[in-house]
Amino acid sequence: MPGSSAPQDTPTRPRPSGLVLVACSGGADSLALAAATAFVGARLGWQVGLVTVDHGLQAGSGQRAEQVAAWARERGLDPVEVVAVTVGTSGGPEAAARDARYAALADAARRHSAAAVLLGHTRDDQAETVLLALARGSGPRGLSGMPVHRDQAGVRFSRPFLDLPRADCRAACAAQGLTPWDDPHNTDPAYARSRVRAEALPALVATLGEGVVANLARTAGLLAQDTAYLDELAAAALGRCRTGSGLAVSALRELPAALRTRALHEWAAGLGAPRTALAHRHVETLDALVTAWRGQGPAYLPGGITVTRTADILTPAHPAAAAASGRDHPTESGAVSGKVLES
């Protein structure tokens, strides 16, 4: 882009002449990313495309999405798509919109055989994510925030601006004469992230100084490294604990808690428990079958899965098996191991 002052760092490193798709809402962050990727891509021989998702949650959302697409076509991006999605209700409005958006982006990437989908999250977004995770009592995985790269549903998602402040993206748009769209949802106090953005994080900055945003993001990066290493150790440990379709309690009991709970979490996800619904309380109840065994009943996991302990083995049962045996288990009530916990 002539006169572009957008960051010149390479957004990602797909194969030469590969296609990268930019996810662009029209906001300052993703608009700056699209402009920067077009500028860099032209010099590195990439094909650069753009996908904008219409969530249909606001009046005129379809028209705004078409405006973003028209801008991208004018800049020579190809392919350019507007994808309309239906947002469900699972997990609340923010999570449902995010799930619908990522599914649409992944589908577009697969259809076009894209090397990567680029996302416009910034250092400020990372700091907000860490604060939200801290408030929700998340463990190290939640406090690790968003990764720079993640392979999901067979697609590589990358966040090249994750170490840049949000203000740089606005400055880049202003320097290039680009007019970003400010999503009113980003300032709606009904949403937790909006409240963190408008109130909590500014209060921390006012109290502790400007460096708090970078420090929160840095903390996420350090925790991500530790978590990745522990996850590798836990995956190897899980393999040693497997016995048929179950897990050997004696082998699990020998593991340090940090590895044992990670192994149980991964095992539960492998059984089919949705990761977005698999909470600490589920893993805690599985762990109790190993470390606090008093003959208690089964652990109930998301997706209608039950896990029982018989002698030295944790054995899973799926919904179909439970139905065939006539068992009734409260998969949505939050009941685990015979007691009800608040979700």
Side-chain angles (χ1 to χ4, degrees), residues 37-314:
T37 307
F39 180 85
V40 173
R43 285 150 181 79
L44 295 182
W46 300 347
Q47 180 186 356
V48 178
L50 180 144
V51 178
T52 183
V53 178
D54 174 17
H55 298 85
L57 298 176
Q58 301 168 347
S61 62
Q63 181 180 1
R64 281 188 294 272
E66 291 294 347
Q67 291 170 347
V68 172
W71 170 84
R73 294 185 184 103
E74 290 174 0
R75 302 294 173 173
L77 278 67
D78 180 56
V80 174
E81 284 192 9
V82 174
V83 181
V85 298
T86 300
V87 177
T89 58
S90 177
E94 292 173 285
R98 181 176 61 250
D99 290 346
R101 179 168 61 254
Y102 275 85
L105 293 172
D107 180 64
R110 287 190 293 266
R111 282 188 284 104
H112 294 289
S113 300
V117 175
L118 307 188
L119 307 171
H121 296 114
T122 66
R123 188 166 66 193
D124 299 72
D125 294 306
Q126 186 74 300
E128 293 162 6
T129 299
V130 173
L131 284 179
L132 285 166
L134 187 63
R136 292 165 179 161
S138 299
R141 183 174 283 103
L143 294 173
S144 297
M146 298 176 286
V148 176
H149 304 291
R150 171 176 288 167
D151 294 325
Q152 180 176 328
V155 174
R156 167 59 61 96
F157 288 94
S158 296
R159 298 177 173 90
F161 283 0
L162 201 54
D163 198 38
L164 293 179
R166 185 177 293 139
D168 282 7
C169 294
R170 287 205 168 272
C173 288
Q176 298 171 80
L178 303 177
T179 303
W181 171 62
D182 292 319
D183 186 345
H185 280 172
N186 290 336
T187 56
D188 187 342
Y191 299 101
R193 182 176 289 272
S194 299
R195 297 194 297 274
V196 168
R197 181 172 300 180
E199 301 173 22
L201 194 53
L204 281 176
V205 170
T207 304
L208 302 175
E210 292 288 340
V212 71
V213 174
N215 289 339
L216 285 168
R218 185 179 302 112
T219 297
L222 293 172
L223 281 170
Q225 293 176 11
D226 293 349
T227 298
Y229 178 60
L230 287 171
D231 284 347
E232 288 181 10
L233 295 179
L238 177 59
R240 297 192 297 270
C241 295
R242 291 186 184 276
T243 174
S245 61
L247 297 181
V249 170
S250 56
L252 285 167
R253 195 185 295 117
E254 293 177 358
L255 298 176
L259 297 186
R260 186 177 60 250
T261 54
R262 281 175 167 81
L264 289 170
H265 185 281
E266 192 61 28
W267 183 62
L271 293 176
R275 291 184 185 273
T276 53
L278 190 57
H280 172 73
R281 69 177 187 273
H282 299 116
V283 178
E284 186 178 53
T285 307
L286 285 175
D287 196 43
L289 294 178
V290 176
T291 62
W293 174 245
R294 290 185 291 273
Q296 64 263 38
Y300 298 102
L301 303 180
I305 300 165
T306 62
V307 175
T308 57
R309 173 171 169 171
T310 304
D312 188 52
I313 305 297
L314 296 188

